[in-house]
Amino acid sequence: MAADHKRYFWILAAAFGATLLPVFALNLILLNDTLGNSGKVRLASQWQQRTQGVTYAPTLSDTHLFKTLRLNDRLPEINAVVFGSSTAMGITQQAFPDTLRIYNYAQSGHGLSASIGEAEYLQRHAPQVKWLVIPLDWATGFVYQQVPVQDADLSAAAAMAQAASPAQQAPLLARMRDALSWPRVATLFEIFKSVLRADDKAVAFRGYFTQAGSGEYRCADGTPAKDFDTVHRGTCTGFRHDGSATFANSSRVANAQARIPLSVSGGSQYRRHLVESRGVPSAHLLQRLATLAERARANGGGVILFMPPLLPGMEAEFLRHRELAAYLQETKRSLDAWSREQNVAILDAGQAERYGCAADEFIDEHHAASTCYEKIFRSFWRDASRPDGTIDLPDGGLM
């Protein structure tokens, strides 16, 4: 019996060595080469600066280093910056008149407090950036957060130092567990499929496991692209030269009517933000925004505030709900009163359908693609942009 047990053990060990061990080793190589790899991020930034192409730097969920390096490279040639979270990532240069040259610095999870700190840094260190574009998100709850504004340092040196800090490095044990997680294993299988489909399989294998990035290729519109991570290769996923996200790896909403009832349900994050805040925006954050706007005007520019677009029909559903409508109306009433007092207009794009946006211009309930933003800002600039190229922002109030 003991001999049978030993034989069974060695069979299991051999099976592990022949299957899971190579998967574990290859995934660990990929993880070590992407997580916390500031060298690859710098290469991606340098490549984009040289080519003005689309690139994907590791990792797409933490883009602070990449966006900060790109911002610093672009500062000599821009006069406007878009801040905010991923809800603002779809905003492109095409949404603005030629007199405003933008860089979209929006990053995942960056709330209003972070945006204000970043804008204050640029007002102190980059006076050529005269226009600040800042979202006021009620759906994600950022406009309600009672949090202090932290001083930001958007220098390239500070971003590199932060990326190299031990706190940013995933522990070896965590990477080992991640290497055997199903998403990593599934991604590795997709890599194998890509290698097997390649004309030169050896070159394709080296491109994933030994080289800094993919070869250059072209997006559908002819824009050059290069991927510095191993996921979503060849799909033009990542960021454009103006900082906007392509969302090329994300499918579009096919059935808005199936999603909208869930947005007002008991487990909805959107409902939770309204109920917990009772629809009252943070007075502290609004005060800091007022100071930002005053300084921007003194510098010959302005602050452009907007409430991001939501899936067509979604906000209207909230306004039909007895309890939630009262909270949302309180948000809008408070922002309208504040904006009139401070003479800072707010573009309310929550009901995206008013601007002709369709469901297939969203990747979910609160992330709009570039085409929707272009429609929204087109109507705004029709009134705010003068024939001589000057900008005359509307007076205060919700628009």
Side-chain angles (χ1 to χ4, degrees):
M1 184 64 72
D4 290 339
H5 288 167
K6 288 181 180 180
R7 187 180 303 109
Y8 179 66
F9 169 79
W10 288 113
I11 289 173
L12 284 180
F16 175 80
T19 55
L20 287 181
L21 190 59
V23 168
F24 171 75
L26 290 173
N27 267 340
L28 202 57
I29 290 172
L30 293 176
L31 283 170
N32 289 337
D33 198 37
T34 54
L35 292 181
N37 191 331
S38 57
K40 273 195 171 185
V41 177
R42 183 182 285 278
L43 288 174
S45 177
Q46 292 171 343
W47 179 86
Q48 188 173 73
Q49 179 68 7
R50 186 173 64 253
T51 65
Q52 300 188 14
V54 172
T55 189
Y56 181 13
T59 65
L60 203 60
S61 61
D62 182 5
T63 59
H64 175 72
L65 177 59
F66 175 76
K67 281 292 189 89
T68 304
L69 293 177
R70 297 301 305 123
L71 174 66
N72 279 274
D73 281 340
R74 296 294 313 279
L75 277 177
E77 61 197 54
I78 63 173
N79 62 2
V81 171
V82 176
F83 300 92
S85 68
S86 55
T87 60
M89 283 183 181
I91 299 176
T92 65
Q93 176 66 58
Q94 281 66 42
F96 291 81
D98 293 340
T99 50
L100 293 188
R101 302 175 302 281
I102 76 152
Y103 182 73
N104 188 327
Y105 189 65
Q107 299 166 56
S108 295
H110 268 220
L112 180 56
S113 61
S115 297
I116 293 171
E118 293 160 354
E120 289 175 345
Y121 173 89
L122 289 182
Q123 283 189 328
R124 293 191 302 268
H125 297 274
Q128 74 274 21
V129 178
K130 300 180 181 298
W131 301 93
L132 310 171
V133 186
I134 301 176
L136 302 177
D137 296 78
W138 74 259
T140 55
F142 291 138
V143 76
Y144 308 120
Q145 289 181 336
Q146 303 296 328
V147 293
V149 174
Q150 301 292 331
D151 288 339
D153 186 344
L154 305 189
S155 66
M160 289 294 292
Q162 179 181 331
S165 68
Q168 298 296 316
Q169 308 305 313
L172 177 59
L173 185 59
R175 278 177 281 154
M176 291 173 69
R177 285 197 298 263
D178 195 13
L180 286 177
S181 67
W182 171 244
R184 293 291 181 184
V185 173
T187 298
L188 185 63
F189 287 156
E190 290 300 317
I191 289 174
F192 286 156
K193 290 179 184 177
S194 178
V195 170
L196 291 174
R197 288 194 298 264
D199 295 332
D200 192 327
K201 296 174 177 54
V203 170
F205 184 87
R206 288 196 299 271
Y208 279 105
F209 292 97
T210 66
Q211 295 176 353
S214 72
E216 290 191 19
Y217 61 97
R218 294 278 172 176
C219 301
D221 62 359
T223 304
K226 184 178 177 69
D227 306 311
F228 288 84
D229 204 343
T230 55
V231 297
H232 308 309
R233 284 203 173 181
T235 62
C236 286
T237 294
F239 295 102
R240 303 179 182 94
H241 183 244
D242 63 11
S244 62
T246 66
F247 294 130
N249 63 311
S250 302
S251 59
R252 300 300 192 262
V253 173
N255 185 359
Q257 296 310 310
R259 290 172 173 260
I260 289 173
L262 297 176
S263 70
V264 299
S265 66
S268 162
Q269 62 166 316
Y270 314 113
R271 180 192 184 107
R272 185 177 71 253
H273 295 316
L274 282 175
V275 172
E276 291 179 354
S277 68
R278 305 186 70 83
V280 179
S282 167
H284 171 65
L285 296 182
L286 292 181
Q287 184 276 323
R288 297 289 283 265
L289 280 174
T291 303
L292 268 180
E294 184 179 352
R295 290 174 181 159
R297 285 193 291 263
N299 190 34
V303 171
I304 300 166
L305 300 176
F306 69 98
M307 300 177 75
L310 299 173
L311 187 65
M314 176 175 159
E315 188 171 284
E317 183 69 17
F318 274 83
L319 292 171
R320 284 192 290 267
H321 191 283
R322 186 174 62 179
E323 177 191 14
L324 301 179
Y327 295 143
L328 182 52
Q329 286 166 349
E330 173 60 23
T331 300
K332 292 177 181 286
R333 185 202 65 76
S334 297
L335 290 177
D336 183 66
W338 172 85
S339 67
R340 292 181 186 279
E341 179 182 342
Q342 301 298 329
N343 195 30
V344 182
I346 301 173
L347 173 59
D348 183 2
Q351 296 185 43
E353 60 271 25
R354 292 193 301 142
Y355 300 91
C357 294
D360 61 4
E361 292 177 288
F362 285 76
I363 65 173
D364 60 21
E365 289 84 345
H366 61 278
H367 288 94
S370 60
T371 52
C372 178
Y373 269 115
E374 288 168 20
K375 294 173 183 177
I376 289 167
F377 278 104
R378 185 181 303 132
S379 64
F380 177 81
W381 294 119
R382 191 178 298 125
D383 296 325
S385 183
R386 298 289 175 259
D388 63 358
T390 59
I391 303 298
D392 185 14
L393 294 180
D395 295 332
L398 246 59
M399 299 176 54

